[in-house]
Amino acid sequence: MSMKVTVVIPTYNRSGYLMEAVDSVLSQDYDHIELIVIDNASSDNTEEMLSCHQLRDSFKYVKNEANLGMVGSWYKALFEFVSGEFFLILSDDDYLINKSFISQCVHKIHDTGAKYCISKGLVKYESENTFHEVGLDYRENIPVRELFIDRFTNKSLFPYALCGILFHTGFAKEYGAFKNEFNLNCDSELLLATSLSFSGCYLNETSYVYRIHDNNLIHKMPNDPKLFICGFEFYTSPLLYAYKNGLINKEEFNFYFHSYIKSRMHKHYMRVIVLFPDYIDFYGSFYSDFLLSLDSFSLQNFRIPTLLKIFPKGFLRFLYKIKLVRG
């Protein structure tokens, strides 16, 4: 099989982690890999450390003139440089541990006609130096829509990680993946959108390590209003895409919303009311297309808890900060 797979590693001032990620890709036993390191204007020795790989035909180093942010780099890589039929995004602080990961995924995709392949992996908590296995309860094939539903019923905080997923390049471009720089969950968004459109396959092999540490960008979400608000898009946009492209009908669209999304959106919106009251109009505007597509539903349908009506917003924000309020 000669299907090309592109691996994208975005990086910014993490030369201490980066080489482990790069070496883990270069040690894969699959021959048709294109590796692209996209550097977000690092000021450390990243470029110097990568110089030993610059002569490889399958290696490309791209240095941005300015820092485009994590999502901005994903978008640039996908639409300007990725040439493989499938692609994998590997963060500069993560790494692959199964040398046959990509070849095994390619074989499964070839045999099943799947448009994505997802693998089991490990989450490493750096502060404790402990590992936790993550994965899904699939033997091999993942039927259309099943992963979308599983995302709402799976209780695990990390049922999978970006570095364990091969995405279909053509669909990602058609969908317009990674277009919102404030949506740090846009990798999960692409996966859910793909799962509503196509079947997938599952690799029951521990294939990667995803690191959790103090510098993970995801930690910024609770304190940044736009990151917090736009992060919920990974639930709504795949469903809206499926509806607008005829993959689900109006009845199914409303059913999925009321069954899986409504209660989560209610909680999310209540948190915005408390934490970011100046962004309530932004919230309504940002999700207007999705809400207008529903039958007779708007944000005004959400019940405002008595707690939010009685106590001053400043006091409630304080409770949120110390994690006493969960609603």
Side-chain angles (χ1 to χ4, degrees):
M1 267 172 285
S2 58
M3 182 175 70
K4 183 192 285 189
V5 175
T6 300
V7 179
V8 177
I9 304 180
T11 189
Y12 176 68
N13 284 344
R14 280 184 177 168
S15 58
Y17 283 134
L18 178 61
M19 292 311 297
E20 187 170 20
V22 169
D23 290 342
S24 75
V25 176
L26 295 176
S27 64
Q28 288 288 297
D29 63 10
Y30 189 64
D31 293 330
H32 306 285
I33 295 177
E34 170 189 53
L35 174 57
I36 300 172
V37 175
I38 184 160
D39 184 351
N40 249 328
S42 293
S43 57
D44 63 1
N45 63 335
T46 292
E47 188 169 3
E48 179 185 350
M49 291 189 68
L50 291 172
S51 60
C52 59
H53 299 304
Q54 297 274 8
L55 296 179
R56 291 174 178 261
D57 292 337
S58 60
F59 180 87
K60 184 187 295 291
Y61 173 71
V62 179
K63 187 167 186 177
N64 298 330
E65 293 183 1
N67 192 329
L68 302 179
M70 179 183 74
V71 178
S73 285
W74 293 354
Y75 184 88
K76 180 176 181 177
L78 174 62
F79 286 93
E80 295 185 24
F81 299 107
V82 170
S83 64
E85 186 176 345
F86 284 80
F87 72 96
L88 169 77
I89 294 181
L90 182 67
S91 295
D92 55 4
D93 53 347
D94 303 329
Y95 56 98
L96 306 178
I97 54 176
N98 173 8
K99 292 187 177 183
S100 298
F101 168 49
I102 292 178
S103 62
Q104 289 174 323
C105 285
V106 168
H107 278 284
K108 282 184 172 291
I109 289 169
H110 180 268
D111 291 343
T112 63
K115 294 296 185 184
Y116 67 95
C117 187
I118 186 167
S119 177
K120 191 165 62 173
L122 298 174
V123 172
K124 181 182 181 182
Y125 295 89
E126 289 281 277
S127 61
E128 305 165 4
N129 195 31
T130 58
F131 294 85
H132 175 68
E133 188 172 82
V134 293
L136 296 166
D137 190 22
Y138 295 109
R139 290 186 178 181
E140 186 166 324
N141 298 326
I142 308 175
V144 178
R145 304 188 190 181
E146 192 160 322
L147 187 70
F148 179 83
I149 296 171
D150 185 79
R151 184 63 184 85
F152 296 96
T153 56
N154 195 305
K155 303 301 181 184
S156 172
L157 179 62
F158 291 102
Y160 46 76
L162 172 67
C163 52
I165 307 167
L166 258 65
F167 291 106
H168 187 263
T169 305
F171 178 76
K173 290 181 177 180
E174 177 187 316
Y175 180 75
F178 316 140
K179 59 182 176 292
N180 182 358
E181 64 179 307
F182 296 108
N183 180 5
L184 299 185
N185 293 326
C186 59
D187 52 339
S188 291
E189 177 190 337
L190 176 59
L191 178 61
L192 294 184
T194 307
S195 73
L196 278 170
S197 305
F198 306 101
S199 62
C201 53
Y202 186 66
L203 178 62
N204 193 25
E205 300 280 350
T206 304
S207 300
Y208 61 85
V209 172
Y210 173 82
R211 283 188 169 102
I212 298 291
H213 51 76
D214 292 340
N215 293 322
N216 288 120
L217 286 178
I218 207 75
H219 295 315
K220 293 184 177 181
M221 286 183 65
N223 301 309
D224 186 298
K226 287 191 175 180
L227 294 181
F228 184 79
I229 291 171
C230 295
F232 194 80
E233 187 182 18
F234 88 98
Y235 287 134
T236 60
S237 288
L239 193 60
L240 186 61
Y241 175 87
Y243 170 57
K244 288 191 170 184
N245 286 274
L247 301 169
I248 58 175
N249 59 35
K250 187 64 173 276
E251 183 179 351
E252 290 170 319
F253 178 70
N254 281 279
F255 171 79
Y256 282 132
F257 170 72
H258 287 283
S259 298
Y260 303 118
I261 296 177
K262 181 180 176 182
S263 63
R264 288 172 170 80
M265 195 171 201
H266 185 193
K267 291 179 181 180
H268 189 248
Y269 184 53
M270 294 306 106
R271 289 186 173 114
V272 171
I273 290 176
V274 173
L275 298 173
F276 310 113
D278 293 339
Y279 283 81
I280 293 174
D281 289 342
F282 174 80
Y283 192 101
S285 175
F286 185 76
Y287 290 105
S288 61
D289 195 17
F290 177 80
L291 293 167
L292 288 170
S293 298
L294 294 163
D295 286 335
S296 303
F297 190 88
S298 70
L299 293 176
Q300 283 66 45
N301 292 107
F302 285 139
R303 181 183 61 84
I304 307 296
T306 303
L307 186 68
L308 267 63
K309 297 178 181 178
I310 295 177
F311 290 99
K313 296 295 190 297
F315 176 67
L316 292 174
R317 282 194 290 273
F318 169 74
L319 293 181
Y320 267 112
K321 296 294 184 184
I322 59 174
K323 299 183 179 179
L324 290 179
V325 177
R326 300 284 184 178

